[in-house]
Amino acid sequence: MNTAKGKRPFYSRQQIQILFTCAMVFGAMAGMIVNCNGQFYRSIADALGVTVGQVTVSTAIMGVVSFFATTFVVKLYSAKNPRLVAAALILTFCLAHMSTAFVTQLWQYYLISAIRGVSYGFLIYYFNSSTIKSWFGDHAGVALSISALMSGVIGIIFNLVIGVMIERIGWRASIAITSVLAAAMALPGVLLFLNRAPDTSAPPTRSESAASTNNAGKAAPAFKITYDSTFFLGLILCILWIFSGVYNQHLKVHALSKGCTQMFSASLISVAMAGNLTSKLVFGSLSDRIGPVKTAISNAGVIIAALFLLILPGGNASLAAGAFLIGAGNAFATIIIPQVVSYVYQGDRFSAVYSKYSMFFAITGNLWSSAMGSIYSATGSYTPVFTAGIGLVLLSLLILPLFLRGRKGISAM
């Protein structure tokens, strides 16, 4: 492929196949299942005779299990046949999601959430970023944008489809159908095209596959992580940036607290999703053109502007603009974090370090969201949350140059 900096990359047939695979997996797992999961909370709660809050505890359980399981899963994926391991994880995630249609008690739902957590961190945070960075190198920005875009597009479409299905065939049948469709969408590309890196693209022989020593095993990270200041600064940076991805969940309540109507408040979520789709197109291309560091700073500016608009008493127009920009700021998790991490940790170093960082993403997002809800419950306002958010983004900009110094022998900016 053409990797000359500043030139438009030419994607080979294998790269297109990998991009298709990643887009289908991320679209199915993140867009069809994770982004639409909230559609079923009320139905599950009513069926089990519990509160919605008790049901949403499942996300925390899934995040905790993901924290402990992700490193093991990544090691398994690195050592064994990647197609078989990825397919098994996808099936596990989809079958566990389908099983929620048959729960009759709350503990069963929690148990299923724990099983989903085994695959969650790998499928939602590690697989897409790691695979695309391995295959597209310095021109990964656009590829990350295209694959991440699928989750938003599928999420928008299927949220509407699932709403109709729940009304017509019930929530249990809707979960089962969604699970089957997600598996059918994700598995073909994985089984036909998946390889971890270009130098492992040859399909395994029968004997190699049986012994799990096929060429794909050579892609296992050989880099031994040094838990130094650079590693921990990068981890703190990722945790701070994950914070920006959970604001969307609170936009409706924030608008209601400011006296807006139910319809307008609910519409802010759609406005934020529109901003999210736009950012995945813009920031991926921008990252390839001006580099991940300047792109990260630009995205931080977008988030700060969004939070100011949400805080200021500017009426509905200000809230809508803030919602759009806060959605645009979601580029951190899917595009900018892997790009910045790979700027410092290149090659096998990226795969090894990013697998450790991705352990924290699921649990961090859930904890940030819970903290926002708790602060709002205590104060009756989201102003402290958004003000603190501005402070955290500014803190991340102070940490960023310190982290970049870990790129040995290369100027940070």
Side-chain angles (χ1 to χ4, degrees), residues 196-278:
R196 282 185 295 264
D199 60 343
T200 65
S201 58
T205 64
R206 182 175 300 179
S207 60
E208 287 175 327
S209 179
S212 296
T213 57
N214 55 323
N215 283 339
K218 295 180 182 179
F223 171 67
K224 184 176 181 180
I225 298 175
T226 300
Y227 295 100
D228 55 8
S229 59
T230 298
F231 176 86
F232 287 107
L233 284 170
L235 178 60
I236 294 171
L237 192 64
C238 291
I239 290 173
L240 291 175
W241 283 347
I242 288 291
F243 181 75
S244 65
V246 296
Y247 286 121
N248 291 6
Q249 305 170 36
H250 297 268
L251 288 174
K252 179 179 178 180
V253 179
H254 172 59
L256 289 172
S257 70
K258 295 178 75 70
C260 298
T261 65
Q262 283 280 350
M263 181 174 295
F264 175 79
S265 300
S267 72
L268 289 182
I269 299 176
S270 297
V271 172
M273 292 181 74
N276 183 246
L277 291 178
T278 303

Side-chain angles (χ1 to χ4, degrees), residues 39-317:
Q39 288 264 25
F40 301 105
Y41 285 157
R42 170 57 63 186
S43 299
I44 293 171
D46 291 343
L48 300 182
V50 299
T51 65
V52 172
Q54 287 175 290
V55 171
T56 56
V57 169
S58 63
T59 60
I61 294 173
M62 187 162 58
V64 170
V65 173
S66 178
F67 174 82
F68 290 104
T70 298
T71 296
F72 169 78
V73 171
V74 170
K75 288 181 178 179
L76 183 67
Y77 176 74
S78 300
K80 302 296 182 181
N81 186 312
R83 299 180 184 184
L84 296 180
V85 174
L89 292 169
I90 289 169
L91 283 175
T92 299
F93 196 67
C94 291
L95 289 174
H97 184 63
M98 181 186 292
S99 298
T100 61
F102 306 101
V103 295
T104 57
Q105 298 183 49
L106 186 60
W107 70 266
Q108 296 171 345
Y109 189 70
Y110 288 166
L111 176 61
I112 291 170
S113 297
I115 295 173
R116 290 173 64 187
V118 174
S119 303
Y120 181 79
F122 175 85
L123 293 175
I124 304 302
Y125 293 105
Y126 180 81
F127 174 81
N128 191 58
S129 299
S130 177
T131 305
I132 287 180
K133 285 301 299 181
S134 295
W135 276 89
F136 294 86
D138 292 337
H139 293 281
V142 172
L144 283 169
S145 294
I146 294 172
S147 60
L149 189 68
M150 284 297 295
S151 68
V153 173
I154 295 296
I156 291 174
I157 294 173
F158 259 82
N159 265 303
L160 297 174
V161 171
I162 287 174
V164 174
M165 286 198 300
I166 290 175
E167 289 184 356
R168 296 191 176 184
I169 62 176
W171 68 272
R172 296 183 187 273
S174 299
I175 287 179
I177 292 173
T178 300
S179 302
V180 172
L181 290 176
M185 180 176 174
L187 286 175
V190 166
L191 293 174
L192 292 174
F193 306 127
L194 177 62
N195 287 287
R196 282 185 295 264
D199 60 343
T200 65
S201 58
T205 64
R206 182 175 300 179
S207 60
E208 287 175 327
S209 179
S212 296
T213 57
N214 55 323
N215 283 339
K218 295 180 182 179
F223 171 67
K224 184 176 181 180
I225 298 175
T226 300
Y227 295 100
D228 55 8
S229 59
T230 298
F231 176 86
F232 287 107
L233 284 170
L235 178 60
I236 294 171
L237 192 64
C238 291
I239 290 173
L240 291 175
W241 283 347
I242 288 291
F243 181 75
S244 65
V246 296
Y247 286 121
N248 291 6
Q249 305 170 36
H250 297 268
L251 288 174
K252 179 179 178 180
V253 179
H254 172 59
L256 289 172
S257 70
K258 295 178 75 70
C260 298
T261 65
Q262 283 280 350
M263 181 174 295
F264 175 79
S265 300
S267 72
L268 289 182
I269 299 176
S270 297
V271 172
M273 292 181 74
N276 183 246
L277 291 178
T278 303
S279 73
K280 286 174 179 176
L281 290 172
V282 173
F283 282 110
S285 177
L286 196 65
S287 178
D288 287 344
R289 291 178 180 274
I290 68 174
V293 177
K294 292 179 180 178
T295 304
I297 295 171
S298 300
N299 196 64
V302 169
I303 294 174
I304 291 173
L307 293 176
F308 270 118
L309 287 169
L310 292 171
I311 292 172
L312 296 175
N316 288 0

